[in-house]
Amino acid sequence: MSIYIYAFRAPFLAALGAAFLGRVLAAQPGAERATSIRPGESCPPGTTEIRPRSCMGPQEAAPSILDYRPRSTLVVPAHVVKKARYPAIDFHGHPQGMLGSGESLARLGADLDSLNVRVMIAANNISGDALKRTVATINASPSMKDRVRAFTGINFQNVGPGWAERAVAQLEADVAAGAVGIGEIGKGFGQSIRKTDGSRLALDDPDLDPIWQAAARLKLPVFIHTGDPQEFYKPVDYNNERWLELSLFPGRRVSPDQHPNFDELMKERDNLFRRHPKTTFVAAHMGWHANDLGRLGKMLTEMPNVYVDVGAVLYDIGRQPRAAHDFFVRFQDRILFGKDSYQPEEYPYYWRVFETQDDYFDYYRDYHATWKLYGIGLPDDVLKKVYYKNALKITPGLPQTGWPR
């Protein structure tokens, strides 16, 4: 009987509540401008929900996303960290234009000293004579010869008969010239590079197996950048959290008509990692899964030969401080520090996220993230592994002595 009465009364109570809400809203200033919506609907463009299922637009002209810059009134402790707590290895370095002479290397050294970055890896995907010139310049610098190392590159053009033999021979020559790893293999691999027969070169193409086998034999980490953030593959609409970036740089959007989609690329990448368990792979940008740490954790658990670097995904790490802290602690042996774009003034944002528990502070590029960052407060043992120990472990060609225990 009580269930029957409730069922009878529920619609009446809902109607009564709606009527009451309507009277409350009608009493609000400007209520005549409100628009009602049904449950589950979104507010019309130019309006926002001011009460449940009631939308209204501002009376003042709305600023653009570029011009709306509210000043936070939050007053909390702030700890700007100019130098890393422990010496760091930048595994994802692109010091463009700074490796060509002793003078430019000296300027690079001064920058690195100010940040407590002890070693920079030039992940510029260079090979042959260009690599030899770079290594010779580094070795000729008394102050920098132990502070910069170079990765070699792989030329994936024209994969077909005879390609693997030539590529492995070049790789061996580059290692003899001083290369300590492979990479950064660029995002065109898997998306736009074609084989000699005109077909797309997939990341897990068996024709490439000799290269990955040689990397394992030579004990070279393979640093691979696969694809782009997932939102780059989606429509550039107002539901896309990377709308501003894609509007500023429309060429960054990945056309679904011309390239494989995000999930297809990641499936090929994971197939590659699984097929070569003796090869050490480092997935750049946390594999573009920093926004889905559950997915990334599953990948690292299933593939013990895979590591990740944190370059250019600080905006995702810093917006989930509790989840990120727990993830870094759990996978502390598999994460490497890397910055990507070389801008010395941006490194301290990484130190602050990793070393403090600060609340609600700016990211360094507004167009990457419209949200704020939080410190994840990593323990010292974890910081040491992220900053230098993990890179030393997987890259025998790095200077191995003189690091804190």
Side-chain angles (χ1 to χ4, degrees):
M1 178 66 70
S2 60
I3 295 175
Y4 173 79
I5 292 173
Y6 178 79
F8 175 78
R9 294 177 61 192
F12 170 76
L13 292 173
L16 182 63
F20 176 75
L21 177 63
R23 288 196 296 273
V24 171
L25 291 174
Q28 300 297 317
E32 69 280 357
R33 297 186 290 110
T35 300
S36 297
I37 57 173
R38 296 190 177 114
E41 288 184 340
S42 298
C43 286
T47 67
T48 190
E49 197 167 27
I50 57 168
R51 294 290 189 278
R53 297 176 300 284
S54 182
C55 307
M56 185 184 294
Q59 289 185 292
E60 301 292 333
S64 75
I65 190 173
L66 296 170
D67 297 326
Y68 185 57
R69 304 168 190 173
R71 297 187 186 92
S72 173
T73 60
L74 186 67
V75 180
V76 290
H79 306 87
V80 177
V81 185
K82 294 183 179 181
K83 300 179 71 168
R85 186 177 304 170
Y86 300 104
I89 295 171
D90 188 344
F91 197 86
H92 192 163
H94 294 299
Q96 309 291 25
M98 304 193 76
L99 305 182
S101 69
E103 292 77 12
S104 58
L105 276 170
R107 291 195 300 273
L108 174 64
D111 288 344
L112 300 184
D113 286 343
S114 71
L115 302 166
N116 201 18
V117 174
R118 178 179 166 187
V119 174
M120 165 75 73
I121 295 178
N124 292 336
N125 204 36
I126 57 175
S127 181
D129 291 341
L131 174 68
K132 291 179 181 178
R133 288 192 298 271
T134 297
V135 172
T137 303
I138 294 168
N139 289 339
S141 171
S143 62
M144 296 299 289
K145 63 181 180 181
D146 291 326
R147 299 192 63 186
V148 180
R149 291 292 183 269
F151 283 169
T152 181
I154 302 295
N155 183 354
F156 290 104
Q157 299 295 330
N158 302 316
V159 172
W163 176 88
E165 292 80 3
R166 294 190 299 272
V168 170
Q170 184 62 62
L171 177 60
E172 292 172 339
D174 288 344
V175 171
V180 300
I182 299 172
E184 172 188 6
I185 296 175
K187 64 183 179 180
F189 176 40
Q191 294 202 108
S192 58
I193 299 176
R194 299 282 165 176
K195 301 178 68 173
T196 53
D197 63 7
S199 62
R200 179 179 66 89
L201 179 63
L203 289 114
D204 56 355
D205 192 306
D207 287 347
L208 306 178
D209 286 351
I211 280 289
W212 316 132
Q213 293 163 357
R217 171 171 54 84
L218 297 167
K219 295 182 171 52
L220 301 174
V222 178
F223 185 40
I224 181 169
H225 173 159
T226 303
D228 282 299
Q230 194 165 5
E231 292 297 289
F232 286 20
Y233 297 78
K234 295 181 179 179
V236 186
D237 57 24
Y238 291 166
N239 293 313
N240 190 321
E241 69 177 3
R242 305 298 286 270
W243 177 89
L244 179 55
E245 178 176 0
L246 293 171
S247 297
L248 289 168
F249 306 101
R252 294 185 181 180
R253 182 170 184 261
V254 182
S255 170
D257 299 329
Q258 301 176 17
H259 303 287
N261 63 38
F262 182 83
D263 287 329
E264 183 179 357
L265 277 175
M266 300 306 153
K267 181 179 179 181
E268 291 180 0
R269 178 203 64 190
D270 293 352
N271 288 341
L272 166 62
F273 293 165
R274 288 191 183 96
R275 264 176 50 172
H276 297 278
K278 295 181 179 180
T279 306
T280 299
F281 292 97
V282 180
H285 312 294
M286 296 184 81
W288 296 127
H289 300 321
N291 64 319
D292 187 351
L293 294 178
R295 178 174 182 172
L296 181 57
K298 184 174 186 293
M299 184 178 89
L300 293 178
T301 300
E302 293 177 353
M303 307 172 201
N305 60 320
V306 176
Y307 294 72
V308 297
D309 96 295
V310 300
V313 289
L314 192 68
Y315 52 80
D316 273 335
I317 297 169
R319 64 169 162 172
Q320 48 180 333
R322 290 177 294 276
H325 171 275
D326 294 349
F327 182 90
F328 273 67
V329 170
R330 180 183 176 190
F331 294 103
Q332 59 187 272
D333 297 313
R334 311 283 290 283
I335 304 171
L336 312 174
F337 172 72
K339 170 61 179 65
D340 195 5
S341 174
Y342 183 68
Q343 306 291 337
E345 62 270 26
E346 295 174 351
Y347 283 74
Y349 289 84
Y350 286 78
W351 316 146
R352 188 177 183 186
V353 167
F354 294 149
E355 298 180 20
T356 79
Q357 293 182 322
D358 283 2
D359 288 319
Y360 200 75
F361 54 92
D362 289 333
Y363 181 61
Y364 52 83
R365 296 185 192 175
D366 287 345
Y367 71 83
H368 270 172
T370 57
W371 51 87
K372 303 293 185 179
L373 303 184
Y374 298 82
I376 67 175
L378 295 176
D380 284 358
D381 287 347
V382 177
L383 284 173
K384 291 176 183 178
K385 291 179 179 179
V386 171
Y387 282 173
Y388 64 90
K389 285 188 175 182
N390 292 337
L392 294 175
K393 177 178 65 175
I394 67 172
T395 318
L398 293 176
Q400 297 289 320
T401 60
W403 300 92
R405 293 189 176 185

PDB file of all heavy atoms in Angstrom, residues 179-210:
ATOM      1  N   ALA A 179      76.223   7.585 -30.512  1.00  0.00           N
ATOM      2  CA  ALA A 179      74.797   7.640 -30.155  1.00  0.00           C
ATOM      3  C   ALA A 179      74.513   6.701 -28.992  1.00  0.00           C
ATOM      4  O   ALA A 179      75.064   5.597 -28.915  1.00  0.00           O
ATOM      5  CB  ALA A 179      73.933   7.258 -31.355  1.00  0.00           C
ATOM      6  N   VAL A 180      73.641   7.129 -28.067  1.00  0.00           N
ATOM      7  CA  VAL A 180      73.343   6.332 -26.870  1.00  0.00           C
ATOM      8  C   VAL A 180      71.905   5.805 -26.865  1.00  0.00           C
ATOM      9  O   VAL A 180      71.494   5.152 -25.909  1.00  0.00           O
ATOM     10  CB  VAL A 180      73.613   7.135 -25.586  1.00  0.00           C
ATOM     11  CG1 VAL A 180      75.070   7.568 -25.518  1.00  0.00           C
ATOM     12  CG2 VAL A 180      72.677   8.337 -25.472  1.00  0.00           C
ATOM     13  N   GLY A 181      71.145   6.091 -27.911  1.00  0.00           N
ATOM     14  CA  GLY A 181      69.767   5.623 -28.011  1.00  0.00           C
ATOM     15  C   GLY A 181      69.214   5.966 -29.368  1.00  0.00           C
ATOM     16  O   GLY A 181      69.911   6.540 -30.223  1.00  0.00           O
ATOM     17  N   ILE A 182      67.958   5.626 -29.582  1.00  0.00           N
ATOM     18  CA  ILE A 182      67.256   5.901 -30.838  1.00  0.00           C
ATOM     19  C   ILE A 182      66.098   6.834 -30.547  1.00  0.00           C
ATOM     20  O   ILE A 182      65.280   6.574 -29.666  1.00  0.00           O
ATOM     21  CB  ILE A 182      66.723   4.595 -31.472  1.00  0.00           C
ATOM     22  CG1 ILE A 182      67.863   3.633 -31.791  1.00  0.00           C
ATOM     23  CG2 ILE A 182      65.905   4.895 -32.726  1.00  0.00           C
ATOM     24  CD1 ILE A 182      67.392   2.259 -32.248  1.00  0.00           C
ATOM     25  N   GLY A 183      66.008   7.930 -31.321  1.00  0.00           N
ATOM     26  CA  GLY A 183      64.854   8.789 -31.154  1.00  0.00           C
ATOM     27  C   GLY A 183      65.218  10.275 -31.198  1.00  0.00           C
ATOM     28  O   GLY A 183      66.372  10.622 -31.361  1.00  0.00           O
ATOM     29  N   GLU A 184      64.263  11.072 -31.029  1.00  0.00           N
ATOM     30  CA  GLU A 184      62.859  10.788 -30.865  1.00  0.00           C
ATOM     31  C   GLU A 184      62.258  10.409 -32.218  1.00  0.00           C
ATOM     32  O   GLU A 184      62.276  11.230 -33.139  1.00  0.00           O
ATOM     33  CB  GLU A 184      62.159  12.020 -30.295  1.00  0.00           C
ATOM     34  CG  GLU A 184      60.677  11.964 -30.239  1.00  0.00           C
ATOM     35  CD  GLU A 184      60.059  13.315 -29.848  1.00  0.00           C
ATOM     36  OE1 GLU A 184      60.790  14.324 -29.738  1.00  0.00           O
ATOM     37  OE2 GLU A 184      58.836  13.354 -29.670  1.00  0.00           O
ATOM     38  N   ILE A 185      61.747   9.189 -32.334  1.00  0.00           N
ATOM     39  CA  ILE A 185      61.049   8.792 -33.548  1.00  0.00           C
ATOM     40  C   ILE A 185      59.762   9.604 -33.617  1.00  0.00           C
ATOM     41  O   ILE A 185      58.941   9.563 -32.703  1.00  0.00           O
ATOM     42  CB  ILE A 185      60.761   7.284 -33.541  1.00  0.00           C
ATOM     43  CG1 ILE A 185      62.080   6.504 -33.558  1.00  0.00           C
ATOM     44  CG2 ILE A 185      59.888   6.901 -34.727  1.00  0.00           C
ATOM     45  CD1 ILE A 185      61.917   5.003 -33.426  1.00  0.00           C
ATOM     46  N   GLY A 186      59.598  10.358 -34.700  1.00  0.00           N
ATOM     47  CA  GLY A 186      58.533  11.343 -34.765  1.00  0.00           C
ATOM     48  C   GLY A 186      57.162  10.778 -35.025  1.00  0.00           C
ATOM     49  O   GLY A 186      56.984   9.614 -35.397  1.00  0.00           O
ATOM     50  N   LYS A 187      56.160  11.644 -34.862  1.00  0.00           N
ATOM     51  CA  LYS A 187      54.771  11.213 -34.967  1.00  0.00           C
ATOM     52  C   LYS A 187      54.340  10.899 -36.391  1.00  0.00           C
ATOM     53  O   LYS A 187      53.270  10.311 -36.590  1.00  0.00           O
ATOM     54  CB  LYS A 187      53.854  12.283 -34.383  1.00  0.00           C
ATOM     55  CG  LYS A 187      53.886  13.624 -35.133  1.00  0.00           C
ATOM     56  CD  LYS A 187      53.008  14.632 -34.421  1.00  0.00           C
ATOM     57  CE  LYS A 187      53.033  15.986 -35.112  1.00  0.00           C
ATOM     58  NZ  LYS A 187      52.177  16.966 -34.411  1.00  0.00           N
ATOM     59  N   GLY A 188      55.169  11.253 -37.388  1.00  0.00           N
ATOM     60  CA  GLY A 188      54.829  10.850 -38.747  1.00  0.00           C
ATOM     61  C   GLY A 188      54.884   9.344 -38.932  1.00  0.00           C
ATOM     62  O   GLY A 188      54.198   8.781 -39.797  1.00  0.00           O
ATOM     63  N   PHE A 189      55.705   8.672 -38.101  1.00  0.00           N
ATOM     64  CA  PHE A 189      55.789   7.212 -38.146  1.00  0.00           C
ATOM     65  C   PHE A 189      54.438   6.633 -37.713  1.00  0.00           C
ATOM     66  O   PHE A 189      53.971   6.862 -36.619  1.00  0.00           O
ATOM     67  CB  PHE A 189      56.911   6.744 -37.214  1.00  0.00           C
ATOM     68  CG  PHE A 189      57.056   5.257 -37.093  1.00  0.00           C
ATOM     69  CD1 PHE A 189      56.915   4.429 -38.188  1.00  0.00           C
ATOM     70  CD2 PHE A 189      57.349   4.681 -35.867  1.00  0.00           C
ATOM     71  CE1 PHE A 189      57.056   3.051 -38.067  1.00  0.00           C
ATOM     72  CE2 PHE A 189      57.503   3.312 -35.731  1.00  0.00           C
ATOM     73  CZ  PHE A 189      57.340   2.497 -36.838  1.00  0.00           C
ATOM     74  N   GLY A 190      53.833   5.887 -38.606  1.00  0.00           N
ATOM     75  CA  GLY A 190      52.516   5.324 -38.339  1.00  0.00           C
ATOM     76  C   GLY A 190      51.381   6.128 -38.919  1.00  0.00           C
ATOM     77  O   GLY A 190      50.267   5.616 -39.075  1.00  0.00           O
ATOM     78  N   GLN A 191      51.638   7.400 -39.245  1.00  0.00           N
ATOM     79  CA  GLN A 191      50.564   8.249 -39.753  1.00  0.00           C
ATOM     80  C   GLN A 191      50.736   8.587 -41.237  1.00  0.00           C
ATOM     81  O   GLN A 191      49.807   8.414 -42.025  1.00  0.00           O
ATOM     82  CB  GLN A 191      50.474   9.546 -38.936  1.00  0.00           C
ATOM     83  CG  GLN A 191      50.056   9.326 -37.498  1.00  0.00           C
ATOM     84  CD  GLN A 191      49.459  10.568 -36.864  1.00  0.00           C
ATOM     85  OE1 GLN A 191      48.256  10.635 -36.634  1.00  0.00           O
ATOM     86  NE2 GLN A 191      50.289  11.545 -36.565  1.00  0.00           N
ATOM     87  N   SER A 192      51.915   9.068 -41.606  1.00  0.00           N
ATOM     88  CA  SER A 192      52.038   9.606 -42.968  1.00  0.00           C
ATOM     89  C   SER A 192      53.125   8.942 -43.803  1.00  0.00           C
ATOM     90  O   SER A 192      53.152   9.136 -45.023  1.00  0.00           O
ATOM     91  CB  SER A 192      52.301  11.113 -42.891  1.00  0.00           C
ATOM     92  OG  SER A 192      53.475  11.380 -42.136  1.00  0.00           O
ATOM     93  N   ILE A 193      54.026   8.183 -43.191  1.00  0.00           N
ATOM     94  CA  ILE A 193      55.130   7.586 -43.950  1.00  0.00           C
ATOM     95  C   ILE A 193      54.627   6.403 -44.763  1.00  0.00           C
ATOM     96  O   ILE A 193      53.850   5.576 -44.269  1.00  0.00           O
ATOM     97  CB  ILE A 193      56.267   7.152 -43.006  1.00  0.00           C
ATOM     98  CG1 ILE A 193      56.821   8.375 -42.264  1.00  0.00           C
ATOM     99  CG2 ILE A 193      57.376   6.448 -43.783  1.00  0.00           C
ATOM    100  CD1 ILE A 193      57.885   8.043 -41.244  1.00  0.00           C
ATOM    101  N   ARG A 194      55.092   6.313 -46.011  1.00  0.00           N
ATOM    102  CA  ARG A 194      54.665   5.253 -46.933  1.00  0.00           C
ATOM    103  C   ARG A 194      55.818   4.313 -47.259  1.00  0.00           C
ATOM    104  O   ARG A 194      56.984   4.705 -47.274  1.00  0.00           O
ATOM    105  CB  ARG A 194      54.144   5.883 -48.237  1.00  0.00           C
ATOM    106  CG  ARG A 194      52.940   6.782 -48.050  1.00  0.00           C
ATOM    107  CD  ARG A 194      51.683   5.982 -47.877  1.00  0.00           C
ATOM    108  NE  ARG A 194      50.577   6.799 -47.361  1.00  0.00           N
ATOM    109  CZ  ARG A 194      49.334   6.336 -47.185  1.00  0.00           C
ATOM    110  NH1 ARG A 194      49.070   5.077 -47.509  1.00  0.00           N
ATOM    111  NH2 ARG A 194      48.405   7.112 -46.697  1.00  0.00           N
ATOM    112  N   LYS A 195      55.467   3.077 -47.529  1.00  0.00           N
ATOM    113  CA  LYS A 195      56.439   2.082 -47.971  1.00  0.00           C
ATOM    114  C   LYS A 195      56.665   2.225 -49.478  1.00  0.00           C
ATOM    115  O   LYS A 195      55.983   3.010 -50.153  1.00  0.00           O
ATOM    116  CB  LYS A 195      55.942   0.674 -47.631  1.00  0.00           C
ATOM    117  CG  LYS A 195      55.690   0.457 -46.154  1.00  0.00           C
ATOM    118  CD  LYS A 195      55.157  -0.934 -45.868  1.00  0.00           C
ATOM    119  CE  LYS A 195      56.190  -2.009 -46.135  1.00  0.00           C
ATOM    120  NZ  LYS A 195      55.711  -3.349 -45.704  1.00  0.00           N
ATOM    121  N   THR A 196      57.611   1.462 -50.004  1.00  0.00           N
ATOM    122  CA  THR A 196      57.902   1.552 -51.438  1.00  0.00           C
ATOM    123  C   THR A 196      56.713   1.133 -52.286  1.00  0.00           C
ATOM    124  O   THR A 196      56.570   1.571 -53.427  1.00  0.00           O
ATOM    125  CB  THR A 196      59.110   0.673 -51.794  1.00  0.00           C
ATOM    126  OG1 THR A 196      58.892  -0.659 -51.316  1.00  0.00           O
ATOM    127  CG2 THR A 196      60.382   1.226 -51.180  1.00  0.00           C
ATOM    128  N   ASP A 197      55.835   0.284 -51.734  1.00  0.00           N
ATOM    129  CA  ASP A 197      54.658  -0.146 -52.499  1.00  0.00           C
ATOM    130  C   ASP A 197      53.495   0.827 -52.379  1.00  0.00           C
ATOM    131  O   ASP A 197      52.409   0.585 -52.906  1.00  0.00           O
ATOM    132  CB  ASP A 197      54.224  -1.551 -52.078  1.00  0.00           C
ATOM    133  CG  ASP A 197      53.792  -1.626 -50.606  1.00  0.00           C
ATOM    134  OD1 ASP A 197      53.698  -0.571 -49.946  1.00  0.00           O
ATOM    135  OD2 ASP A 197      53.555  -2.759 -50.126  1.00  0.00           O
ATOM    136  N   GLY A 198      53.708   1.951 -51.668  1.00  0.00           N
ATOM    137  CA  GLY A 198      52.674   2.968 -51.533  1.00  0.00           C
ATOM    138  C   GLY A 198      51.769   2.809 -50.333  1.00  0.00           C
ATOM    139  O   GLY A 198      50.982   3.700 -50.023  1.00  0.00           O
ATOM    140  N   SER A 199      51.850   1.691 -49.628  1.00  0.00           N
ATOM    141  CA  SER A 199      50.998   1.470 -48.456  1.00  0.00           C
ATOM    142  C   SER A 199      51.544   2.224 -47.253  1.00  0.00           C
ATOM    143  O   SER A 199      52.732   2.553 -47.186  1.00  0.00           O
ATOM    144  CB  SER A 199      50.911  -0.025 -48.134  1.00  0.00           C
ATOM    145  OG  SER A 199      52.186  -0.551 -47.807  1.00  0.00           O
ATOM    146  N   ARG A 200      50.652   2.503 -46.289  1.00  0.00           N
ATOM    147  CA  ARG A 200      51.073   3.186 -45.063  1.00  0.00           C
ATOM    148  C   ARG A 200      51.996   2.279 -44.265  1.00  0.00           C
ATOM    149  O   ARG A 200      51.743   1.082 -44.107  1.00  0.00           O
ATOM    150  CB  ARG A 200      49.853   3.555 -44.222  1.00  0.00           C
ATOM    151  CG  ARG A 200      50.194   4.253 -42.901  1.00  0.00           C
ATOM    152  CD  ARG A 200      48.932   4.609 -42.115  1.00  0.00           C
ATOM    153  NE  ARG A 200      48.208   3.433 -41.666  1.00  0.00           N
ATOM    154  CZ  ARG A 200      48.420   2.795 -40.516  1.00  0.00           C
ATOM    155  NH1 ARG A 200      49.369   3.220 -39.685  1.00  0.00           N
ATOM    156  NH2 ARG A 200      47.703   1.753 -40.183  1.00  0.00           N
ATOM    157  N   LEU A 201      53.063   2.846 -43.736  1.00  0.00           N
ATOM    158  CA  LEU A 201      53.981   2.099 -42.885  1.00  0.00           C
ATOM    159  C   LEU A 201      53.397   2.045 -41.479  1.00  0.00           C
ATOM    160  O   LEU A 201      53.414   3.027 -40.744  1.00  0.00           O
ATOM    161  CB  LEU A 201      55.359   2.752 -42.862  1.00  0.00           C
ATOM    162  CG  LEU A 201      56.409   2.068 -41.980  1.00  0.00           C
ATOM    163  CD1 LEU A 201      56.699   0.654 -42.474  1.00  0.00           C
ATOM    164  CD2 LEU A 201      57.686   2.898 -41.930  1.00  0.00           C
ATOM    165  N   ALA A 202      52.867   0.895 -41.099  1.00  0.00           N
ATOM    166  CA  ALA A 202      52.286   0.728 -39.777  1.00  0.00           C
ATOM    167  C   ALA A 202      53.382   0.599 -38.727  1.00  0.00           C
ATOM    168  O   ALA A 202      54.497   0.146 -39.012  1.00  0.00           O
ATOM    169  CB  ALA A 202      51.382  -0.502 -39.749  1.00  0.00           C
ATOM    170  N   LEU A 203      53.071   0.973 -37.509  1.00  0.00           N
ATOM    171  CA  LEU A 203      54.068   0.903 -36.443  1.00  0.00           C
ATOM    172  C   LEU A 203      54.532  -0.525 -36.185  1.00  0.00           C
ATOM    173  O   LEU A 203      55.683  -0.744 -35.809  1.00  0.00           O
ATOM    174  CB  LEU A 203      53.495   1.497 -35.149  1.00  0.00           C
ATOM    175  CG  LEU A 203      53.326   3.015 -35.167  1.00  0.00           C
ATOM    176  CD1 LEU A 203      51.873   3.402 -35.101  1.00  0.00           C
ATOM    177  CD2 LEU A 203      54.066   3.635 -34.001  1.00  0.00           C
ATOM    178  N   ASP A 204      53.647  -1.487 -36.358  1.00  0.00           N
ATOM    179  CA  ASP A 204      53.985  -2.879 -36.078  1.00  0.00           C
ATOM    180  C   ASP A 204      54.311  -3.672 -37.329  1.00  0.00           C
ATOM    181  O   ASP A 204      54.209  -4.899 -37.339  1.00  0.00           O
ATOM    182  CB  ASP A 204      52.850  -3.554 -35.303  1.00  0.00           C
ATOM    183  CG  ASP A 204      51.501  -3.463 -36.033  1.00  0.00           C
ATOM    184  OD1 ASP A 204      51.428  -2.794 -37.080  1.00  0.00           O
ATOM    185  OD2 ASP A 204      50.533  -4.075 -35.543  1.00  0.00           O
ATOM    186  N   ASP A 205      54.730  -2.989 -38.389  1.00  0.00           N
ATOM    187  CA  ASP A 205      55.067  -3.677 -39.634  1.00  0.00           C
ATOM    188  C   ASP A 205      56.231  -4.650 -39.402  1.00  0.00           C
ATOM    189  O   ASP A 205      57.277  -4.255 -38.880  1.00  0.00           O
ATOM    190  CB  ASP A 205      55.450  -2.642 -40.702  1.00  0.00           C
ATOM    191  CG  ASP A 205      55.526  -3.245 -42.097  1.00  0.00           C
ATOM    192  OD1 ASP A 205      56.251  -4.247 -42.267  1.00  0.00           O
ATOM    193  OD2 ASP A 205      54.866  -2.721 -43.005  1.00  0.00           O
ATOM    194  N   PRO A 206      56.081  -5.919 -39.800  1.00  0.00           N
ATOM    195  CA  PRO A 206      57.155  -6.906 -39.589  1.00  0.00           C
ATOM    196  C   PRO A 206      58.460  -6.553 -40.301  1.00  0.00           C
ATOM    197  O   PRO A 206      59.533  -7.019 -39.881  1.00  0.00           O
ATOM    198  CB  PRO A 206      56.555  -8.204 -40.155  1.00  0.00           C
ATOM    199  CG  PRO A 206      55.079  -7.988 -40.149  1.00  0.00           C
ATOM    200  CD  PRO A 206      54.875  -6.524 -40.377  1.00  0.00           C
ATOM    201  N   ASP A 207      58.394  -5.743 -41.368  1.00  0.00           N
ATOM    202  CA  ASP A 207      59.623  -5.368 -42.070  1.00  0.00           C
ATOM    203  C   ASP A 207      60.581  -4.581 -41.180  1.00  0.00           C
ATOM    204  O   ASP A 207      61.778  -4.471 -41.491  1.00  0.00           O
ATOM    205  CB  ASP A 207      59.297  -4.538 -43.313  1.00  0.00           C
ATOM    206  CG  ASP A 207      58.690  -5.372 -44.434  1.00  0.00           C
ATOM    207  OD1 ASP A 207      58.744  -6.626 -44.351  1.00  0.00           O
ATOM    208  OD2 ASP A 207      58.160  -4.772 -45.395  1.00  0.00           O
ATOM    209  N   LEU A 208      60.066  -4.024 -40.089  1.00  0.00           N
ATOM    210  CA  LEU A 208      60.890  -3.222 -39.192  1.00  0.00           C
ATOM    211  C   LEU A 208      61.522  -4.045 -38.074  1.00  0.00           C
ATOM    212  O   LEU A 208      62.345  -3.526 -37.312  1.00  0.00           O
ATOM    213  CB  LEU A 208      60.049  -2.102 -38.570  1.00  0.00           C
ATOM    214  CG  LEU A 208      59.298  -1.179 -39.547  1.00  0.00           C
ATOM    215  CD1 LEU A 208      58.473  -0.162 -38.765  1.00  0.00           C
ATOM    216  CD2 LEU A 208      60.254  -0.489 -40.482  1.00  0.00           C
ATOM    217  N   ASP A 209      61.151  -5.292 -37.953  1.00  0.00           N
ATOM    218  CA  ASP A 209      61.624  -6.110 -36.832  1.00  0.00           C
ATOM    219  C   ASP A 209      63.141  -6.100 -36.670  1.00  0.00           C
ATOM    220  O   ASP A 209      63.641  -6.041 -35.529  1.00  0.00           O
ATOM    221  CB  ASP A 209      61.128  -7.549 -36.989  1.00  0.00           C
ATOM    222  CG  ASP A 209      59.636  -7.682 -36.681  1.00  0.00           C
ATOM    223  OD1 ASP A 209      59.039  -6.698 -36.195  1.00  0.00           O
ATOM    224  OD2 ASP A 209      59.067  -8.771 -36.928  1.00  0.00           O
ATOM    225  N   PRO A 210      63.942  -6.171 -37.745  1.00  0.00           N
ATOM    226  CA  PRO A 210      65.405  -6.183 -37.551  1.00  0.00           C
ATOM    227  C   PRO A 210      65.940  -4.963 -36.808  1.00  0.00           C
ATOM    228  O   PRO A 210      66.939  -5.066 -36.073  1.00  0.00           O
ATOM    229  CB  PRO A 210      65.944  -6.257 -38.990  1.00  0.00           C
ATOM    230  CG  PRO A 210      64.852  -6.948 -39.761  1.00  0.00           C
ATOM    231  CD  PRO A 210      63.586  -6.414 -39.156  1.00  0.00           C
TER     232      PRO A 210
END
